[in-house]
Amino acid sequence: MASKKISMAVIKRLPRYHRYLNYLLELGIKRVSSKELSSRMGITASQIRQDLNCFGGFGQQGYGYNVESLYNEIGNILGINKTFYCIIIGAGNMGQALSNYGNFIKRGFEVIGIFDVNPEVVGKKLKNLEVMNLDSLEEFILHNRVDIAMLCVPYRETATVADRVARLGVKGLWNFSPMDLKIPYDVIVENVHLSDSLMVLGYKLNDKFERE
Amino acid sequence: MASKKISMAVIKRLPRYHRYLNYLLELGIKRVSSKELSSRMGITASQIRQDLNCFGGFGQQGYGYNVESLYNEIGNILGINKTFYCIIIGAGNMGQALSNYGNFIKRGFEVIGIFDVNPEVVGKKLKNLEVMNLDSLEEFILHNRVDIAMLCVPYRETATVADRVARLGVKGLWNFSPMDLKIPYDVIVENVHLSDSLMVLGYKLNDKFERE
DNA sequence: TAGATTGTTAATCGATTAACAATC
DNA sequence: TAGATTGTTAATCGATTAACAATC
């Protein structure tokens, strides 16, 4: 796979294509042209064709794209056929919300462990998993394959926990803290900065009202 | 404010500047040059100066930027000095997580109501608010100023609830469902597509492993 | 004043859109 | 075959970076 580098702008659109194709699939639609997908998604047909052609020629001239096979192709590119083993660190509301989010498993993300420090929470069952004490984190990771750690601990703890997890060889961090992690290990971090997103919404609202 | 349009790329970086400046403030640092901020944030000094100059000349030649006043300026631009009144719809784990997230209030987002349909949840106290029945949504919005609705309901309900809320004049939606809302009202939607974010992380992990 | 650093213009780079030959 | 639609190249647009005169 000595492919040319694909830009993040393209990658970030893939899950969205995947969702739309899934929707078409559920509607029983068999084929779709870039033009039709374009009008549904509100992006140009040109962009759709460019994006898809980063990964291969999935379409057929004069016909368009087969919905099911394109859905599967994009799924493969995103790796949802593989399983990523995940742990959730911090079993507060956010951690619990993630543990209950059934959509993840459909997309290949399986939660195999949940950790917390709070004695009132440790031992509690969430879904089919018992919350473990954070002290046993090291042991757990040594004995189980863990690809991704989902960090849902309070702000103050995040940097420490992230470092601890990365040191043990976990390769992906999904960070819910409003901070940018800097870790001296070879780790991929994906941030979910909720307050950033909310502030952008606030900006847009202000902007709109001021202009009107 | 007949200003030239500011690109989303710039807007989206503002909360991040805001966070870093807050951090510098906490460290007791009084002034910062674009060069120093650049090395801390990992973006070019040029970009920082360009971004800030979209909104005004906040710096001083030969000196740099005063941390506190720049922090405040960006806060103003983001509107965190104003209060946005918010309701949470859906008091499941995600809704509860949001209701407990104290950071929002600091940034001007105040939750004034929480709604659910589940009789087991309605009436329950979350923080200082009692979960209301979704049936009383209309009445509540008519009698209270609601700027933003945070949608934490299951996938199937999202479109309906979004429409209902928008029809009542709520101007901002913060959407946690993995779907792109299409609403025939004049509403600003900001999406938090958690599974999209997770899939991008999955892609990056795959990509890295395949290349190595 | 000399040094530092901004604000801003110009140059570059990358991403999006348009166009069209290839082909189903 | 004629019509449709892709894959792909070329043109455009926008965002980032570089450069430097202005000025504190």
Side-chain angles (χ1 to χ4, degrees):
Chain A
M1 224 224 205
S3 51
K4 62 269 170 199
K5 186 147 163 299
I6 289 149
S7 84
M8 258 306 133
V10 176
I11 308 299
K12 289 218 180 107
R13 282 192 290 268
L14 293 180
R16 193 152 172 266
Y17 288 128
H18 197 251
R19 273 189 279 122
Y20 272 85
L21 289 161
N22 184 228
Y23 178 67
L24 294 177
L25 212 53
E26 280 175 357
L27 290 178
I29 292 170
K30 298 269 185 262
R31 59 170 278 250
V32 69
S33 66
S34 57
K35 193 174 159 210
E36 197 200 333
L37 199 53
S38 153
S39 82
R40 283 181 183 271
M41 294 184 65
I43 56 181
T44 65
S46 212
Q47 181 163 74
I48 292 172
R49 294 202 300 277
Q50 285 274 23
D51 284 355
L52 297 178
N53 268 82
C54 293
F55 303 97
F58 301 135
Q60 199 172 32
Q61 281 101 327
Y63 173 86
Y65 300 87
N66 177 287
V67 173
E68 188 175 359
S69 77
L70 185 57
Y71 174 77
N72 290 330
E73 290 286 3
I74 294 180
N76 287 341
I77 295 163
L78 287 167
I80 72 163
N81 52 328
K82 299 177 190 168
T83 303
F84 294 96
Y85 297 95
C86 309
I87 57 174
I88 295 172
I89 305 187
N93 292 117
M94 183 57 74
Q96 290 186 35
L98 296 184
S99 75
N100 284 319
Y101 198 52
N103 263 343
F104 295 157
I105 192 92
K106 272 196 273 173
R107 298 190 170 87
F109 299 89
E110 187 177 342
V111 176
I112 58 168
I114 308 181
F115 297 85
D116 206 300
V117 285
N118 183 350
E120 293 194 7
V121 179
V122 173
K124 206 176 140 188
K125 275 239 166 179
L126 290 183
K127 284 265 171 183
N128 52 343
L129 293 170
E130 197 169 287
V131 178
M132 287 174 271
N133 193 302
L134 191 60
D135 291 341
S136 52
L137 181 69
E138 276 71 12
E139 205 204 320
F140 185 88
I141 296 182
L142 288 173
H143 293 293
N144 296 274
R145 173 176 158 193
V146 177
D147 300 304
I148 293 171
M150 303 173 165
L151 308 179
C152 308
V153 300
Y155 184 83
R156 298 247 165 244
E157 322 297 338
T158 306
T160 316
V161 169
D163 203 80
R164 212 167 138 188
V165 158
R167 187 191 303 267
L168 291 160
V170 174
K171 286 283 174 262
L173 300 184
W174 203 28
N175 171 38
F176 280 77
S177 267
M179 66 176 7
D180 299 319
L181 295 173
K182 262 166 212 152
I183 299 171
Y185 298 91
D186 193 21
V187 159
I188 292 174
V189 179
E190 186 73 17
N191 295 300
V192 179
H193 288 322
L194 292 183
S195 40
D196 285 19
S197 159
L198 191 51
M199 285 163 97
V200 169
L201 176 56
Y203 176 87
K204 288 179 182 170
L205 286 171
N206 270 336
D207 193 50
K208 196 168 148 60
F209 286 127
E210 276 169 13
R211 276 162 200 285
E212 273 174 2
Chain B
M1 224 219 204
S3 53
K4 62 270 169 198
K5 187 146 161 304
I6 289 150
S7 85
M8 259 305 131
V10 176
I11 307 299
K12 290 219 180 104
R13 281 192 291 269
L14 293 180
R16 192 151 174 267
Y17 289 127
H18 197 251
R19 272 190 281 122
Y20 271 84
L21 289 162
N22 184 227
Y23 178 67
L24 294 178
L25 214 51
E26 280 175 357
L27 290 178
I29 293 171
K30 299 270 183 264
R31 60 170 278 250
V32 69
S33 67
S34 58
K35 193 174 161 211
E36 196 201 332
L37 200 52
S38 154
S39 82
R40 283 181 183 272
M41 296 184 63
I43 56 181
T44 65
S46 213
Q47 181 164 72
I48 293 172
R49 294 202 300 278
Q50 284 275 22
D51 283 355
L52 297 178
N53 268 83
C54 293
F55 304 98
F58 301 135
Q60 198 171 33
Q61 281 100 328
Y63 172 86
Y65 300 87
N66 178 285
V67 173
E68 188 175 0
S69 77
L70 185 57
Y71 174 76
N72 291 328
E73 290 286 2
I74 295 180
N76 288 340
I77 294 162
L78 288 166
I80 72 163
N81 51 329
K82 299 178 191 167
T83 302
F84 293 96
Y85 296 96
C86 309
I87 57 175
I88 295 173
I89 305 188
N93 291 116
M94 184 56 74
Q96 290 186 35
L98 297 184
S99 74
N100 284 320
Y101 199 51
N103 262 343
F104 295 157
I105 192 91
K106 272 196 272 172
R107 297 189 170 88
F109 298 89
E110 186 178 343
V111 176
I112 58 169
I114 307 180
F115 297 86
D116 206 300
V117 285
N118 183 350
E120 292 193 8
V121 180
V122 172
K124 204 176 142 189
K125 273 237 168 182
L126 291 182
K127 285 266 171 183
N128 53 342
L129 293 170
E130 198 170 285
V131 178
M132 289 174 269
N133 193 302
L134 192 59
D135 291 342
S136 52
L137 181 68
E138 276 73 11
E139 205 203 321
F140 185 88
I141 296 181
L142 288 174
H143 293 294
N144 296 273
R145 174 174 157 192
V146 177
D147 300 303
I148 293 173
M150 303 172 165
L151 308 179
C152 307
V153 299
Y155 184 82
R156 299 246 165 244
E157 323 296 337
T158 306
T160 317
V161 169
D163 203 80
R164 213 168 136 188
V165 158
R167 188 191 302 268
L168 291 159
V170 174
K171 286 283 173 263
L173 300 183
W174 203 28
N175 172 38
F176 281 77
S177 267
M179 65 176 7
D180 301 318
L181 295 173
K182 264 167 208 150
I183 298 170
Y185 298 91
D186 191 20
V187 160
I188 291 173
V189 180
E190 186 73 17
N191 293 302
V192 179
H193 288 322
L194 292 183
S195 38
D196 285 19
S197 160
L198 191 51
M199 287 163 95
V200 169
L201 175 56
Y203 175 90
K204 288 179 181 169
L205 286 170
N206 270 336
D207 193 50
K208 196 168 150 59
F209 286 126
E210 277 170 14
R211 275 162 201 285
E212 272 174 4

